[in-house]
Amino acid sequence: IYLDNAATSYPKPKTVIKAMQDYMLHVGANYGRGGYKTATDSIDMLFSVREKIAELINCPFPEQIVFTKNATEALNIAIIGSVQPAGLVITSPYEHNSVVRPLMHRKCIIHELPLNNRGSCDVTQLTPELLKRSSLVVINHSSNVSGAVSDIEYAAKMCRENGVPMLADASQSAGILPIDAKKLSCMIAFAGHKGLLGPQGTGCLYIPKDYNVRPLITGGTGSNSHLPTQPEIMPD
């Protein structure tokens, strides 16, 4: 009996195993590294997955979906690429260490919102007075410990109205709860191996078009390889 799906879903569906096996047996080429058939097949497959993820979270721009190794990498890209050292960052009271540690690494000042009487993050405490002093808001959509669900739509609305970027950690909710990227208009990070039933080593970060996020890692895109600097186009 397996009951640890908050860590990773198991067993994986047979369709997932078959898709991975088919790729290794019949495609296997490196994305964006050649013009031969299996290389172009890999490009088509990746674009198709990006479109499906965009459809799942109601994202109108598939190119704004960044694939990562896991939610931890997605959260690090969003946080380290958005905040300056010693900035004030508002968080929920039950953030994963994949959020807290990058914030501590940047020596950020963390303002932790309280819980409400339902045990979820009290997003009504996101007042204009607090937000105008903040450089980023990070809200955990659903806790991996208690299962409490935060009202990220309200939080995103307050952030938009006050001009503060927001990051929603949807690691536990993606594939289980509805997520509307168009309505939220904030960064959304999630893993592929939990509610989406994919393999470990997969994750995503949605970055809205009006967000400017510095790259965490440079190189290795397979595009514009002659340039010494990172390409400006998304998702590269």
Side-chain angles (χ1 to χ4, degrees), residues 40-60:
T40 57
D41 285 347
S42 70
I43 294 172
D44 293 341
M45 292 176 73
L46 195 68
F47 186 74
S48 174
V49 173
R50 185 171 272 115
E51 286 188 317
K52 287 181 171 69
I53 293 291
E55 182 181 358
L56 176 74
I57 65 170
N58 193 30
C59 163

Side-chain angles (χ1 to χ4, degrees), residues 21-28 38 41:
Q21 184 182 43
D22 286 348
Y23 182 85
M24 293 178 187
L25 288 174
H26 306 300
V27 183
T38 52
D41 285 347

Side-chain angles (χ1 to χ4, degrees), residues 79-80 82-90 102-111 133-136 214:
I79 292 168
I80 296 174
S82 299
V83 298
Q84 298 297 332
L88 175 64
V89 177
I90 303 170
L103 291 176
M104 295 300 292
H105 176 70
R106 299 292 280 175
K107 295 180 169 46
C108 291
I109 302 165
I110 301 174
H111 179 98
R133 298 186 285 114
S134 306
S135 57
L136 179 68
R214 298 180 300 275

